[in-house]
C-alpha cells in the first residue's frame, strides 16, 4: 500500500519548471517508491543497482542514454557520475529544439541518489541551473498517520485552527515514544520489515555501500563505534576533542566522519544563531539524528517504554521534534539552515530553537512531559540581537493548545507537522 508523501507537491511543482529533478535522501527513505508513484506511468525506471546497467553507464554513458531515452528515472545515479555531463548535452540539445518549435519544456530526467558526496560535485559542474535539487527524508509523524503536513510555523492563531481541524490528534506519551522508537523508515512503519532486524541490516548496508570507500576499510570497526558513540550524544553540542579522546582517533578524522553523516542525511547540524551579537555565545553546533529509530537501535534501547523513562528520554524527545521540524522544511523546498538555529551562551542560558523569519525571532522551547512554570525564562536574553521577538512556543505533551503568558503559548507535540 502506497502512503502519500508531503514531498509529492514539491516534486510536481518543480517538474513544471525544470528538465531534471535530482532527489537526494538517505538510503531507503522512499525515493524510488515516490517517484515511481508520481512518474511511473510515463517514465521508464532504470536502476544502477543493476550490474549490467551500471557497466554500460560507466563505460559508455552516451549509449546508456540512447538505450534509455527520456523521460526516464535513473535510480542511484551517484554510482555513475559521468552520466551527468551526458545528460547536460541531451538537455541542452532538447532545449534548443523546443526554442525553435515553441514547444513547452518538459521534465526529462528524474535522478535519485543516496550518496550526496559522490553527486554534489557533478551536479554543480554539469547540471547547475538545469536541475531542481530536492532533499527527501523518512516519514513525518503525520505521514505515518495518513495526514498531510505543512511547514513549521510559530503562530498562536494558526495553532488553534489546526487543533480545531484535527480533533483526533492527541496521543499519549507512550504512543509518542512508540513512534520515536519505531523511527521513520517506510519499511518499518508499514510493517514490511521487523524493526530490530531492519535497522541492523540498514546499518550494515550504509557502511558497506555508502561510506566504506570514504572511511577506508581498515577503519570500519572504529566507524561503527563512532556511530554508536554519537548516537548516545544526540541533541548535544559536538565536542570533537571528547569524541576523539574516547575513540582514540584524531580530531580531523572526527570532523570528517561527522561531515560524512551530515552529507548522507543521517544527522543534521543545528547551528547557533550569531548575528554578531556577542562573543560570549557558544559557536559549536548541536547535532540530531534524523531517524530516531536508527538512533535508538545504535543506543541499544530495547523498548519504547524504557527509552521514555530512561536517562535519554529528554534527548530523544528533542531529537524527534527537531527532526520533524527539519522534515517539514525539506518537504516544502526550503533549506532549514536559513531559518532554524539555537541559542546558548557561556552562562548556560539556552533556547532550544530560534525560528528566524523575515528578520523576526520566534523562540521555541522543547519540554518532555508538561512544561514547567517558567519555560520562557531565557527568552529575554534574545533582546541583545536588536531584532523583533514574537510570541514563542513551548512544545510539550500537553493535550491542547493554550496561551501560557504574553511571551509564549503551549503546543502539543501530537499536533506537530499538521
Amino acid at each position: 500500500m502506497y502512503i502519500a508523501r508531503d514531498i509529492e507537491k514539491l516534486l510536481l511543482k518543480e517538474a513544471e519548471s525544470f528538465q531534471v529533478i535530482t532527489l537526494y535522501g538517505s538510503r531507503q527513505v522512499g525515493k524510488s517508491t515516490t517517484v515511481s508513484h508520481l512518474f511511473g506511468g510515463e517514465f521508464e525506471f532504470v536502476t544502477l543497482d543493476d550490474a549490467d546497467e551500471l557497466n554500460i553507464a560507466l563505460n559508455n554513458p552516451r549509449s546508456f542514454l540512447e538505450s534509455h531515452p527520456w523521460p526516464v528515472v535513473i535510480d542511484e545515479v551517484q554510482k555513475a557520475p559521468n552520466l551527468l555531463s551526458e545528460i547536460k548535452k541531451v538537455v541542452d540539445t532538447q532545449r534548443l529544439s523546443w526554442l525553435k518549435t515553441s514547444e513547452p519544456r518538459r521534465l526529462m530526467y528524474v535522478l535519485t541518489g543516496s550518496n550526496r558526496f559522490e553527486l554534489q560535485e557533478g551536479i554543480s559542474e554539469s547540471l547547475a541551473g538545469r536541475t531542481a535539487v530536492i532533499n527527501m527524508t523518512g516519514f513525518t509523524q503525520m505521514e505515518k498517520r495518513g495526514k498531510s503536513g505543512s511547514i513549521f510555523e510559530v503562530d498562536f492563531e494558526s495553532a488553534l485552527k489546526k487543533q480545531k481541524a484535527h480533533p483526533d490528534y492527541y496521543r499519549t506519551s507512550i504512543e509518542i515514544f512508540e513512534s520515536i522508537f519505531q523511527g521513520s523508515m517506510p519499511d518499518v512503519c508499514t510493517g514490511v520489515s521487523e524493526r530490530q532486524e531492519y535497522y541492523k541490516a540498514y546499518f550494515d548496508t550504509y557502511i558497506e555501500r555508502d561510506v566504506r570507500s570514504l572511511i577506508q576499510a581498515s577503519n570500519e570497526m572504529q566507524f561503527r563505534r563512532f556511530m554508536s558513540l554519537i548516537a548516545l550524544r544526540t541533541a548535544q553540542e559536538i565536542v570533537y576533542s571528547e569524541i576523539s579522546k574516547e575513540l582514540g582517533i584524531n580530531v580531523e578524522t572526527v570532523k570528517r566522519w561527522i561531515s560524512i553523516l551530515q552529507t548522507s542525511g543521517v544527522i543534521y547540524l543545528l547551528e547557533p544563531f550569531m548575528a554578531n551579537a556577542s562573543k560570549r555565545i557558544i559557536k559549536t553546533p548541536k547535532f540530531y539524528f534524523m531517524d530516531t529509530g536508527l538512533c535508538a537501535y545504535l543506543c541499544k534501547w530495547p523498548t519504547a517504554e524504557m527509552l521514555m523513562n530512561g536517562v535519554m528520554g529528554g534527548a530523544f524527545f528533542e531529537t524527534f521534534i527537531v527532526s520533524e521540524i527539519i522534515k517539514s522544511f525539506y518537504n516544502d523546498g526550503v533549506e532549514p539552515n536559513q531559518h532554524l538555529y539555537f541559542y546558548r551562551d557561556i552562562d548556560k542560558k539556552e533556547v532550544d530553537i530560534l525560528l528566524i523569519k523575515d528578520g523576526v525571532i520566534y523562540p521555541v522551547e522543547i519540554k518532555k512531559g508538561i512544561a514547567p512554570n517558567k519555560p520562557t525564562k531565557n527568552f529575554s536574553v534574545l533582546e541583545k540581537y536588536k531584532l523583533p521577538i514574537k510570541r514563542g512556543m513551548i512544545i510539550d505533551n500537553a493535550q491542547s493548545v493554550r496561551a501560557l503568558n504574553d511571551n509564549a503559548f503551549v503546543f502539543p507535540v501530537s499536533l506537530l507537522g499538521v
Side-chain angles (χ1 to χ4, degrees):
M1 180 184 68
Y2 179 77
I3 296 179
R5 306 299 300 270
D6 287 338
I7 208 165
E8 291 175 21
K9 292 174 286 189
L10 178 61
L11 286 165
L12 292 174
K13 175 185 174 184
E14 300 293 30
E16 296 176 358
S17 303
F18 288 90
Q19 282 68 67
V20 185
I21 289 176
T22 303
L23 185 63
Y24 288 123
S26 58
R27 189 170 291 278
Q28 298 178 31
V29 294
K31 301 183 297 295
S32 301
T33 301
T34 302
V35 297
S36 294
H37 174 77
L38 290 181
F39 306 113
E42 180 184 1
F43 283 58
E44 180 189 5
F45 184 93
V46 56
T47 178
L48 298 188
D49 278 336
D50 184 305
D52 292 334
E53 297 287 7
L54 178 59
N55 182 56
I56 298 172
L58 287 171
N59 296 300
N60 198 331
R62 181 181 298 178
S63 294
F64 176 88
L65 294 181
E66 289 175 351
S67 300
H68 303 288
W70 65 271
V72 60
V73 176
I74 304 176
D75 186 43
E76 298 296 343
V77 72
Q78 80 277 354
K79 293 185 175 183
N82 53 333
L83 271 178
L84 301 179
S85 58
E86 288 299 320
I87 289 173
K88 173 183 178 294
K89 295 176 186 177
V90 176
V91 169
D92 288 350
T93 299
Q94 186 59 45
R95 277 179 165 181
L96 289 174
S97 175
W98 282 330
L99 283 173
K100 293 176 182 178
T101 60
S102 299
E103 291 182 58
R105 295 182 179 184
R106 296 174 52 202
L107 179 64
M108 300 169 64
Y109 296 96
V110 178
L111 313 177
T112 74
S114 57
N115 193 323
R116 191 163 185 164
F117 266 104
E118 297 177 3
L119 258 181
Q120 57 189 7
E121 184 177 349
I123 292 293
S124 61
E125 289 182 357
S126 301
L127 293 177
R130 297 168 179 81
T131 182
V133 179
I134 298 173
N135 198 321
M136 186 172 182
T137 64
F139 281 144
T140 66
Q141 70 163 339
M142 289 302 163
E143 287 174 335
K144 289 163 71 170
R145 299 173 71 178
K147 299 179 182 295
S148 178
S150 61
I151 193 167
F152 176 72
E153 60 181 344
V154 181
D155 182 80
F156 183 53
E157 297 300 326
S158 176
L160 289 172
K161 291 178 181 178
K162 290 177 179 181
Q163 178 177 254
K164 186 175 182 180
H166 299 275
D168 62 341
Y169 70 89
Y170 180 70
R171 292 187 298 167
T172 64
S173 292
I174 187 58
E175 288 175 318
I176 292 292
F177 270 87
E178 284 171 350
S179 182
I180 290 172
F181 186 74
Q182 180 188 57
S184 61
M185 291 300 180
D187 280 359
V188 177
C189 296
T190 56
V192 172
S193 300
E194 190 275 329
R195 177 195 172 278
Q196 184 74 9
E197 292 302 315
Y198 175 87
Y199 281 113
K200 180 183 183 303
Y202 181 90
F203 185 37
D204 292 341
T205 301
Y206 171 68
I207 290 176
E208 290 170 6
R209 295 189 184 182
D210 291 351
V211 303
R212 176 173 283 179
S213 63
L214 300 171
I215 64 174
Q216 300 178 348
S218 60
N219 291 330
E220 182 178 320
M221 291 309 299
Q222 272 189 326
F223 189 80
R224 288 175 178 271
R225 286 183 58 219
F226 162 77
M227 283 197 67
S228 295
L229 175 65
I230 65 164
L232 292 166
R233 301 184 180 209
T234 186
Q236 295 183 24
E237 293 168 22
I238 299 174
V239 183
Y240 297 104
S241 59
E242 289 183 4
I243 300 172
S244 167
K245 183 178 181 180
E246 189 156 350
L247 291 175
I249 57 179
N250 62 54
V251 170
E252 290 307 312
T253 298
V254 174
K255 290 181 177 179
R256 184 163 57 85
W257 287 359
I258 288 287
S259 179
I260 289 172
L261 295 184
Q262 179 189 17
T263 310
S264 54
V266 174
I267 65 172
Y268 181 86
L269 299 188
L270 185 67
E271 298 290 342
F273 185 60
M274 301 298 292
N276 300 318
S278 172
K279 293 182 180 179
R280 294 170 57 83
I281 297 171
I282 299 295
K283 298 181 181 179
T284 306
K286 295 175 71 172
F287 75 93
Y288 297 88
F289 267 70
M290 285 298 294
D291 186 88
T292 52
L294 174 62
C295 190
Y297 166 79
L298 292 171
C299 293
K300 297 181 171 56
W301 286 101
T303 68
E305 186 174 6
M306 291 182 70
L307 175 59
M308 179 179 69
N309 297 321
V311 294
M312 292 190 70
F316 268 86
F317 188 73
E318 182 176 336
T319 298
F320 172 68
I321 288 173
V322 172
S323 66
E324 288 290 311
I325 292 171
I326 292 165
K327 290 173 189 176
S328 79
F329 275 82
Y330 283 143
N331 288 340
D332 206 57
V334 178
E335 280 297 322
N337 60 15
Q338 297 176 5
H339 300 279
L340 295 176
Y341 306 89
F342 77 99
Y343 174 90
R344 187 169 188 265
D345 59 32
I346 60 176
D347 298 320
K348 297 187 178 180
K349 292 181 178 178
E350 183 172 358
V351 180
D352 292 327
I353 297 174
L354 301 183
L355 172 64
I356 311 298
K357 186 176 179 182
D358 299 325
V360 176
I361 299 176
Y362 297 85
V364 178
E365 278 289 296
I366 299 169
K367 302 295 179 184
K368 177 175 173 279
I370 303 300
N373 292 330
K374 296 182 179 180
T376 63
K377 65 183 187 318
N378 289 334
F379 285 8
S380 60
V381 300
L382 303 175
E383 294 172 1
K384 68 179 70 177
Y385 291 111
K386 309 298 183 185
L387 294 173
I389 302 172
K390 294 294 186 179
R391 195 177 206 177
M393 175 189 285
I394 311 298
I395 304 176
D396 66 12
N397 203 33
Q399 295 189 29
S400 62
V401 176
R402 72 178 189 279
L404 183 66
N405 53 40
D406 290 341
N407 296 323
F409 64 95
V410 173
F411 188 82
V413 62
S414 304
L415 203 56
L416 189 64
V418 173

